[in-house]
Amino acid sequence: MPAEDSGPSRAKPPKPRVTPTISIIGAGRLGTAFALAFSRRGYVVQALVCRTALSARRAAKMAGVASRTLALHELSLLPRSDILLLTTPDDQLSNVAKLLAAGISRGRRQRIALHSSGALPSDILGDLSSVGFSIGSMHPLISISDPESGARRLEGAYFGIEGQLAATRTARRLVSAIGAKSFPIAAINKALYHAAAVTSSGNVVALVDIAIEMLVRCGLTQSYARTVLIPLLESTIENLSSRDTGKALTGPFARSDVATVRRHLPAIARSEVTDALNAYLLLGRHALSIMERGSLSLTPNNELESVLDEFESGK
Ligand SMILES: NC(=O)c1ccc[n+]([C@@H]2O[C@H](COP(=O)([O-])OP(=O)(O)OC[C@H]3O[C@@H](n4cnc5c(N)ncnc54)[C@H](OP(=O)(O)O)[C@@H]3O)[C@@H](O)[C@H]2O)c1
């Protein structure tokens, strides 16, 4: 009969997991928010690098981290952190990767380099790959303007992740450490992926700018016009967070309200607000296609479509 207790186990005790160290190259809006978010979760942010040392010191102060602060020309003083996060502007990534690679010798331990550009694939860091780094990209679908609110927003963000195996594994761990979520995105799709992000962020701001100008023509001040639109925008986002676009769509295109659209078009044309008519026609047509896609319209939208066509041809 086998003994129940075969004595002390010979299996090695598991190694305590050591939290990897991080250096951030390009401590601007996103880099500083990363420094704050990761240091709060127990990561040691060993160094922050900016173009100037003054800018790096300012970033460390804003993020409340006791990291080494370096200028770009001091890269030789960069510690051998396990993870390099490159958060410089997109057009600097390749150059910065080259500079970093020039001063780095291959070690026994594989290190990780990740950038945070939405549009560029990880192979922009190819120079670091040639000196033994596993390279990847982790892009947060979020807009960040300062470290404190940025770190908070990162916690609820979704990150598109792409790159080599070890790099993507590390990126997923970093993302989940700050309470965010990630999904894979193929390198070949990064430009389209980022264009989608711009369409739902920067381009929405451009669209709201048009609406503000229309309200200014109605006699509101710029700042009051922005204020009155915020609850409307928030309610739209709320609708979108629990319903698909077909069900979240409201307004005359969702209701097949032909008479209202007929009143809108000449009023927008008379206002002479730049791009307002083109945006209304373009997005109105898309709203119709959403309704048709789900066969959601109460009556066929052919009439609304011909109203838009007629107006456009007589412009
Ligand atoms: N901000 C966002 O909402 C957001 C969201 C998602 C992704 N991203 C991505 O994050 C990256 C950075 O964006 P950001 O908005 O944080 O930019 P940013 O605020 O302009 O910061 C860029 C940082 O990079 C530094 N830098 C510029 N050129 C450099 C160089 N050659 N070497 C080293 N550092 C250099 C700057 O240093 P100085 O301070 O000395 O000028 C600055 O600290 C971009 O790839 C962007 O696409 C940003």
Side-chain angles (χ1 to χ4, degrees), residues 26-30 50-52 55 72 87-90 92 96 116-117 139-140 142-144:
R29 281 167 293 201
L30 180 60
C50 286
R51 275 179 301 185
T52 66
S55 184
L72 189 61
T87 47
T88 65
D90 290 19
Q92 295 299 319
V96 170
S116 58
S117 157
H139 170 258
I142 207 86
S143 171
I144 288 173

Side-chain angles (χ1 to χ4, degrees), residues 205-269:
V205 176
L207 198 59
V208 172
D209 187 73
I210 293 175
I212 290 173
E213 282 311 312
M214 290 158 92
L215 288 180
V216 167
R217 300 292 200 280
C218 300
L220 280 70
T221 63
Q222 286 258 352
S223 96
Y224 197 60
R226 184 175 55 83
T227 304
V228 302
L229 289 174
I230 297 299
L232 178 60
L233 277 163
E234 282 173 348
S235 60
T236 309
I237 289 169
E238 231 168 84
N239 286 342
L240 270 172
S241 50
S242 57
R243 298 174 175 84
D244 63 30
T245 50
K247 298 212 175 70
L249 191 70
T250 59
F253 292 99
R255 291 192 297 269
S256 297
D257 185 349
V258 180
T260 300
V261 174
R262 277 193 198 281
R263 287 171 68 81
H264 285 170
L265 290 166
I268 300 171

Side-chain angles (χ1 to χ4, degrees), residues 25-32 34 49-56 58-59 71-72 75 86-93 95-96 99 115-120 138-145 154 194:
I25 325 299
R29 281 167 293 201
L30 180 60
T32 314
F34 270 164
V49 182
C50 286
R51 275 179 301 185
T52 66
L54 178 67
S55 184
R58 201 179 302 135
L72 189 61
L75 281 180
L86 282 79
T87 47
T88 65
D90 290 19
D91 60 0
Q92 295 299 319
L93 282 172
N95 188 34
V96 170
L99 283 175
H115 74 68
S116 58
S117 157
L120 294 171
M138 49 181 268
H139 170 258
L141 283 163
I142 207 86
S143 171
I144 288 173
S145 52
L154 281 171
H194 190 243

